[in-house]
Amino acid sequence: MKILTYFEVKDGEIKKASFETASKAAEIAEKLNGEACALFVGENISEEMAKSPSRVNIKKSYILKNESLKTFSNSIYASAISNFAKEREFDAILFPATSTGKDLAPIVSAYFDVPYISDVIKVDVENGDVTFVKPIFSGKAMKKISVEENCFVASLRVNVFPVIEKHCETLVESVEAKLDDVKSSKVTGYEKGSSELLDVAEADIIISGGRGMKGPENFEMLAEVAKLFGGAMGASRAAVDAGWVPHSHQVGQTGKVVSPSLYIACGISGAIQHLAGMSSSKVIVAINKDKDAPIFNVATYGIVGDLFEIVPLLKEEIKSLKG
Amino acid sequence: MRIITLVKHVRDTETRVKVAENGAKLEFIGENWVLNPYDEFAVEEGLRLKEKFGGEVVALSVGDEESSKSLRQAMAMGADSAILLSDPLFNDLDPLSTARVIAEQLKKESFDLILCGKHGVGDDNQAVGSIVGALLNIPVATVVVNLEIQGSDVKAKREIEGGLEVLEMGLPCLISCQKGLNEPRYPSLKGIMSAKKKEIRTINASVLGIDEKFFSKRIKFITFLEPPPRPKGKLIKGEPRDAVKELVKLLSEEAKVL
Ligand SMILES: Cc1cc2nc3c(=O)[nH]c(=O)nc-3n(C[C@H](O)[C@H](O)[C@H](O)COP(=O)(O)OP(=O)(O)OC[C@H]3O[C@@H](n4cnc5c(N)ncnc54)[C@H](O)[C@@H]3O)c2cc1C
């Protein structure tokens, strides 16, 4: 079994989710007496950067290079990746389920002609088969599957798999990428969101507000707490639809699905569509004045009370904790 | 401009889901089927482009006879006609296989643009549209919240972590539509009435010219599982100030997340 992990590099840094994914790949390879390798794509990857998968027991790294890979183009990258995987006879390719991973993986599945399993939250090896657990109906149920001959393209949900530090020597090989004549979209720019906070999809701590926040001005206080945490600010759909916060903050079935270490819900009732987006968070705190709000059913810790009293106190406490 | 919108008939998001028969089946409580919410953005965008450039909007779905309801819904919004790819062979396909079926049909169609929803709620794969685009060798842009077309130049903005990515490509291309792209219209009574008379072309596997050998590696279903149960929570009582102190203590010492 030969398994490849795509390493995502943004602004000169490897996305942490790549190490989460590679940790799992290394574990699968070990259990199946296979080989797990790392794959970097692009012109600006240094040898040193390509060595860093040594942290997670990946013994071989490849860098795919080509003039056409200077800037990100999903189909061109996918062509480079799948041609390389075919040539070197890899059975499977893993991606972190970041926005880039989720963009690339299905296209790779098409070119590589291998089934795609998205947004996986659990991977095991059972009787020689790699098995996957994937949420369906926004996490209201899970589906466990495997793929014939262990040939698959899969994306692994961010923040779910631990980075397993296990150092080894890593060899790096640069390879000239082979590209088919594919028509692709090209990235020509980036517009940074107005917020200086992390995106909910990336943050390890999220504090979210709902209709109970009463108005846009009060989200300022959540943003301040989020900043103290080095985390992100989320929102329910009610708050987004009211125009208090941009949609990029929405957590839930029609927003983002998140699994941070800590999720704090303020003035959010816990509608099924909201729970769908956050109930796999490790620790959930609910602050709500209605003791019967369904959010308390999933909360690890709950405080029944007025958020306008609780949140400022929380901010003070966190401030003194962080010194 | 000939625009194809890929649509899916799905259970609405209120539907409750339970695992039954030891994981062999799912049971649905209060199920109500609708046009996939994200596909509404795709249909709406198609209609707006048609209003601007002229042409036609064709809705396409893979599914059983019931799926024609969502095709009717798309036509009630304003789509001109519909195609239903329907065959027992097409039931419960994985994204790659579904996309291969769709691409097989689209190879026989002319089109300038394919629109689909960001993902189909239920299976939550976020994959079929992109694979269709890849199989047809046209540019793909996913999670798009802003779309501008001038001549054959396309500019799209897609949502990524912390901002928007700007993409450029040419027609024909495939765009997956995210909330924020537009406000889908409600079908008018006139729209609903005229949708009843619009054509749905139903196409099965043999008309499409494929059989079971068409599908290569298969995903093997093992079981359905309930989501992991959440440990029983703790309600923190007391004066607000004490409760918050207690909360922060628990978060740092018991849960160790701070
Ligand atoms: C197709 C579809 C998709 C959807 N997708 C999503 C989604 O992605 N995300 C999402 O969040 N929702 C989604 N929804 C909407 C969802 O059904 C709920 O309407 C929404 O989550 C409610 O938001 P809320 O909890 O902020 O508001 P409410 O349900 O109105 O709850 C407000 C809460 O605030 C509390 N409160 C009020 N004042 C205070 C105070 N001073 N102190 C403390 N607590 C207070 C109240 O007790 C109440 O529990 C979707 C719905 C549909 C139909």
Side-chain angles (χ1 to χ4, degrees):
Chain A
M1 164 96 193
K2 283 182 74 180
I3 179 165
L4 201 54
T5 298
Y6 176 74
F7 268 69
E8 182 180 343
V9 179
K10 250 245 157 104
D11 303 326
E13 275 188 46
I14 301 175
K15 288 257 180 175
K16 171 174 168 266
S18 311
F19 290 105
E20 298 169 5
T21 306
S23 298
K24 198 71 211 183
E27 185 193 308
I28 301 171
E30 201 160 275
K31 286 189 180 156
L32 289 172
N33 283 323
E35 190 187 354
C37 303
L39 182 66
F40 291 82
V41 182
E43 288 285 281
N44 307 318
I45 311 290
S46 67
E47 168 110 9
E48 190 198 337
M49 180 180 273
K51 270 202 153 76
S52 56
S54 67
R55 249 178 84 186
V56 290
N57 201 23
I58 300 280
K59 299 183 182 74
K60 181 95 198 230
S61 261
Y62 297 94
I63 310 173
L64 287 181
K65 296 194 166 176
N66 188 297
E67 265 294 294
S68 313
L69 299 171
K70 266 205 173 113
T71 53
F72 185 81
S73 302
N74 53 9
S75 303
I76 296 175
Y77 268 49
S79 174
I81 295 168
S82 71
N83 282 337
F84 173 76
K86 278 182 207 163
E87 192 179 287
R88 301 292 176 107
E89 297 181 327
F90 280 90
D91 303 286
I93 312 175
L94 292 183
F95 291 85
T98 55
S99 56
T100 301
K102 288 193 272 192
D103 193 40
L104 268 179
I107 305 178
V108 171
S109 152
Y111 295 160
F112 196 36
D113 196 23
V114 154
Y116 171 50
I117 307 166
S118 66
D119 214 21
V120 171
I121 57 161
K122 198 161 183 284
V123 184
D124 281 309
V125 176
E126 294 167 58
N127 307 321
D129 283 338
V130 182
T131 62
F132 302 89
V133 174
K134 156 188 173 44
I136 50 175
F137 297 95
S138 305
K140 291 179 211 165
M142 312 278 154
K143 192 167 160 181
K144 187 172 177 184
I145 50 186
S146 65
V147 185
E148 282 173 17
E149 297 166 40
N150 283 340
C151 287
F152 54 81
V153 172
S155 61
L156 269 53
R157 185 176 286 181
V158 178
N159 267 345
V160 170
F161 296 87
V163 174
I164 301 168
E165 303 274 351
K166 196 170 173 194
H167 287 262
C168 68
E169 278 295 313
T170 300
L171 282 175
V172 177
E173 182 182 339
S174 282
V175 181
E176 178 66 22
K178 294 203 180 74
L179 302 172
D180 294 324
D181 179 24
V182 293
K183 303 263 184 330
S184 183
S185 61
K186 289 182 175 55
V187 174
T188 56
Y190 174 66
E191 292 176 6
K192 198 171 159 19
S194 51
S195 167
E196 40 179 333
L197 296 169
L198 280 178
D199 192 277
V200 288
E202 292 190 297
D204 205 37
I205 298 184
I206 299 172
I207 180 162
S208 281
R211 202 193 312 270
M213 294 300 295
K214 303 270 187 316
E217 63 286 355
N218 299 322
F219 274 86
E220 194 49 42
M221 135 180 115
L222 294 191
E224 285 165 15
V225 179
K227 207 164 158 188
L228 288 173
F229 280 131
M233 183 182 82
S236 73
R237 172 159 160 188
V240 170
D241 283 358
W244 301 344
V245 233
H247 176 252
S248 57
H249 294 267
Q250 185 177 319
V251 171
Q253 185 137 21
T254 45
K256 287 174 183 150
V257 176
V258 299
S259 337
S261 305
L262 174 59
Y263 187 90
I264 307 177
C266 310
I268 292 178
S269 62
I272 190 166
Q273 295 94 348
H274 190 79
L275 299 184
M278 44 63 79
S279 55
S280 64
S281 305
K282 285 176 197 97
V283 174
I284 296 171
V285 172
I287 300 169
N288 197 304
K289 66 178 183 189
D290 172 8
K291 68 172 183 13
D292 296 321
I295 190 76
F296 287 118
N297 298 337
V298 298
T300 325
Y301 306 115
I303 298 182
V304 178
D306 183 355
L307 72 90
F308 293 102
E309 215 174 325
I310 309 284
V311 176
L313 290 169
L314 180 65
K315 192 177 125 188
E316 259 177 55
E317 279 299 311
I318 301 299
K319 223 181 203 159
S320 66
L321 184 80
K322 301 265 165 181
Chain B
M1 201 174 203
R2 192 161 195 260
I3 300 165
I4 311 275
T5 58
L6 307 180
V7 303
K8 188 175 182 193
H9 196 52
V10 300
R11 292 177 182 87
D12 76 8
T13 54
E14 290 287 337
T15 305
R16 295 186 176 262
V17 184
K18 264 207 163 117
V19 175
E21 293 177 23
N22 277 327
K25 270 197 164 165
L26 290 179
E27 224 171 68
F28 299 96
I29 301 146
E31 73 182 315
N32 179 30
W33 290 77
V34 295
L35 171 62
N36 176 35
Y38 290 100
D39 300 346
E40 291 182 3
F41 303 121
V43 174
E44 178 61 36
E45 198 62 18
L47 297 174
R48 288 183 190 200
L49 291 168
K50 177 189 156 177
E51 282 155 13
K52 195 164 167 194
F53 299 112
E56 73 175 311
V57 176
V58 181
L60 182 149
S61 189
V62 179
D64 57 15
E65 192 44 45
E66 281 292 300
S67 299
S68 58
K69 290 186 181 152
S70 279
L71 292 171
R72 293 268 174 231
Q73 175 72 6
M75 291 192 290
M77 287 173 72
D80 298 281
S81 66
I83 301 172
L84 176 61
L85 304 175
S86 192
D87 195 286
L89 270 184
F90 304 164
N91 292 346
D92 290 323
L93 294 178
D94 67 295
L96 177 60
S97 303
T98 307
R100 288 184 62 213
V101 170
I102 295 171
E104 205 59 21
Q105 176 61 24
L106 291 182
K107 281 175 195 161
K108 301 173 187 167
E109 301 280 333
S110 70
F111 57 83
D112 303 288
L113 178 65
I114 305 174
L115 297 165
C116 65
K118 185 201 89 180
H119 83 267
V121 305
D123 290 339
D124 300 348
N125 285 316
Q126 202 180 320
V128 171
S130 301
I131 301 177
V132 168
L135 293 171
L136 296 170
N137 193 16
I138 58 175
V140 170
T142 55
V143 201
V144 169
V145 293
N146 186 286
L147 184 66
E148 279 171 45
I149 299 183
Q150 258 173 5
S152 64
D153 296 332
V154 179
K155 202 168 169 182
K157 292 182 187 167
R158 69 183 294 260
E159 226 173 62
I160 63 164
E161 296 89 353
L164 298 175
E165 218 165 48
V166 184
L167 305 175
E168 287 177 31
M169 72 213 90
L171 288 178
C173 61
L174 181 137
I175 304 288
S176 97
C177 306
Q178 163 71 324
K179 181 176 173 179
L181 179 61
N182 55 43
E183 265 313 314
R185 67 195 68 188
Y186 289 102
S188 64
L189 188 60
K190 194 168 146 246
I192 296 169
M193 296 312 286
S194 69
K196 292 189 174 146
K197 290 183 219 107
K198 290 178 181 169
E199 190 202 357
I200 298 183
R201 268 191 289 153
T202 303
I203 293 169
N204 63 17
S206 76
V207 173
L208 202 53
I210 61 179
D211 55 25
E212 62 270 20
K213 291 196 286 296
F214 177 78
F215 302 103
S216 41
K217 286 198 186 60
R218 293 284 199 140
I219 290 188
K220 291 189 278 185
F221 168 80
I222 301 171
T223 185
F224 291 116
L225 302 163
E226 292 283 359
R230 289 207 66 87
K232 201 166 157 28
K234 212 182 258 180
L235 213 52
I236 304 169
K237 304 223 169 86
E239 284 304 302
R241 186 171 291 276
D242 300 333
V244 169
K245 275 206 157 56
E246 175 69 8
L247 170 67
V248 171
K249 190 165 163 235
L250 286 167
L251 289 176
S252 57
E253 289 170 17
E254 186 179 82
K256 298 194 167 52
V257 288
L258 290 185

